[in-house]
Amino acid sequence: MVQLAALLVLTTLSAPMDGEDAVARARGWLAKVGVRDKLLTTQLSHSPAKWLGAPKAWWVGFRSEKGRTWSLIMADDGTVLKMNSFPDRTPVAAGTNPAIAQDLLQRAAGKLPVRLSNCGGANARFASTHKGKPYFNLNPLWGVLISFDPAKGELLSYLRQTAVPEVHSEQPLVSEGVAKSKLVAWAKSNAKTNTVAGWLVEPWPGLRRYPRIELGYYRFRNAKKADLVYRAQVMQQAGTGEPFEQGPLPVYVDARTGALRDHDDPATGGKR
């Protein structure tokens, strides 16, 4: 009898999610991330979402009495991969609001191996990490992108791609100082032809600009594994104000060999 009961429990836990379960989970997830509207189901289908890493996924749509709509893509295990609301009502918010962004991510996905990479106003990006080091790729995005309403504590859009590639190495053989000198030298040589390099090198009255050197992973095109690299994020500070990111230089220093390597994704500003 004990074995039979255990088998029944196991069967129940491993049973595939049906449409009714998908709608219930989608409603519950939206409630967790701050949606308080009364929702009417408008879409329910089960079809591929391979670009999100899901051979099959549930597509669930809702509409409120006020005409606002939500569209979710959810994996068969109940993991929400994508959500958009229309209109998203993304506010123009001052500051960076990292605490609100991190709270919403916790409510949306629990504890993930990610770290806050960029947060401005009502938008934030969390980069997937491997042993604490971030992945720099944006296409595919390895991490989570969100937009939110800081005043209401409500998630407005959500994109999750956290299945990361393996890495070649975990420890650098090149020092941060050596990498910095190579990246700054590249910026000086390319300041006239590259906008981000110009931001770093050319003086601007009242502004301080400097490189923040970051160690992380980038998977180059046609590679199966990600390489450990250094990059330079150009930071800007006005007076005693809070520094903010201008953007990274489109070149990396290989942390194993010290070689300069071009950012090679044309969809995100890299070389073809």
Side-chain angles (χ1 to χ4, degrees), residues 1-267:
M1 291 296 291
V2 174
Q3 289 180 332
L4 177 58
L7 179 59
L8 287 172
V9 170
L10 180 60
T11 302
T12 301
L13 291 175
S14 60
M17 182 168 58
D18 61 17
E20 186 176 344
D21 293 332
V23 171
R25 291 198 190 193
R27 286 179 183 273
W29 187 87
L30 287 173
K32 283 199 301 184
V33 297
V35 176
R36 298 291 176 260
D37 303 60
K38 185 177 180 180
L39 303 176
L40 173 69
T41 305
T42 57
Q43 179 192 8
L44 179 63
S45 62
H46 193 227
S47 55
K50 293 182 179 179
W51 61 283
L52 289 172
K56 279 292 187 76
W58 287 100
W59 300 60
V60 187
F62 298 105
R63 178 172 56 82
S64 72
E65 293 177 347
K66 296 181 180 179
R68 190 174 169 210
T69 62
W70 291 261
S71 176
L72 295 89
I73 302 176
M74 186 166 38
D76 280 341
D77 64 359
T79 300
V80 175
L81 304 173
K82 188 175 188 294
M83 183 275 285
N84 285 107
S85 57
F86 305 95
D88 62 15
R89 302 182 292 108
T90 304
V92 177
T96 56
N97 302 302
I100 298 174
Q102 289 169 333
D103 175 65
L104 281 167
L105 180 65
Q106 176 71 26
R107 286 193 265 154
K111 190 174 182 179
L112 292 176
V114 299
R115 80 177 194 190
L116 186 63
S117 173
N118 182 276
C119 186
N123 299 278
R125 175 179 179 255
F126 296 85
S128 290
T129 61
H130 175 76
K131 295 189 176 180
K133 300 181 185 71
Y135 285 82
F136 296 140
N137 293 73
L138 295 176
N139 178 42
L141 163 76
W142 285 309
V144 182
L145 281 177
I146 65 172
S147 66
F148 55 96
D149 187 330
K152 293 186 176 182
E154 179 184 337
L155 198 62
L156 302 175
S157 67
Y158 176 85
L159 175 62
R160 170 177 172 170
Q161 290 178 289
T162 51
V164 296
E166 295 181 3
V167 303
H168 279 298
S169 61
E170 298 175 345
Q171 297 299 324
L173 300 179
V174 176
S175 71
E176 180 179 318
V178 169
K180 179 179 179 179
S181 65
K182 291 190 174 191
L183 290 165
V184 171
W186 183 93
K188 290 178 178 178
S189 298
N190 292 272
K192 299 298 183 183
T193 57
N194 182 268
T195 301
V196 182
W199 289 340
L200 178 62
V201 173
E202 296 172 1
W204 290 78
L207 296 178
R208 174 182 173 238
R209 286 176 172 165
Y210 59 93
R212 185 183 70 200
I213 307 303
E214 301 171 336
L215 179 64
Y217 294 100
Y218 183 82
R219 191 183 75 179
F220 292 90
R221 275 192 299 170
N222 303 320
K224 291 184 178 180
K225 294 184 178 181
D227 286 292
L228 187 61
V229 296
Y230 289 99
R231 76 173 182 181
Q233 180 73 242
V234 179
M235 304 297 294
Q236 177 172 298
Q237 183 178 20
T240 58
E242 184 178 352
F244 64 91
E245 298 173 349
Q246 287 284 89
L249 293 176
V251 66
Y252 304 97
V253 171
D254 191 305
R256 293 182 299 169
T257 67
L260 283 170
R261 303 182 68 179
D262 289 323
H263 177 68
D264 66 351
D265 178 16

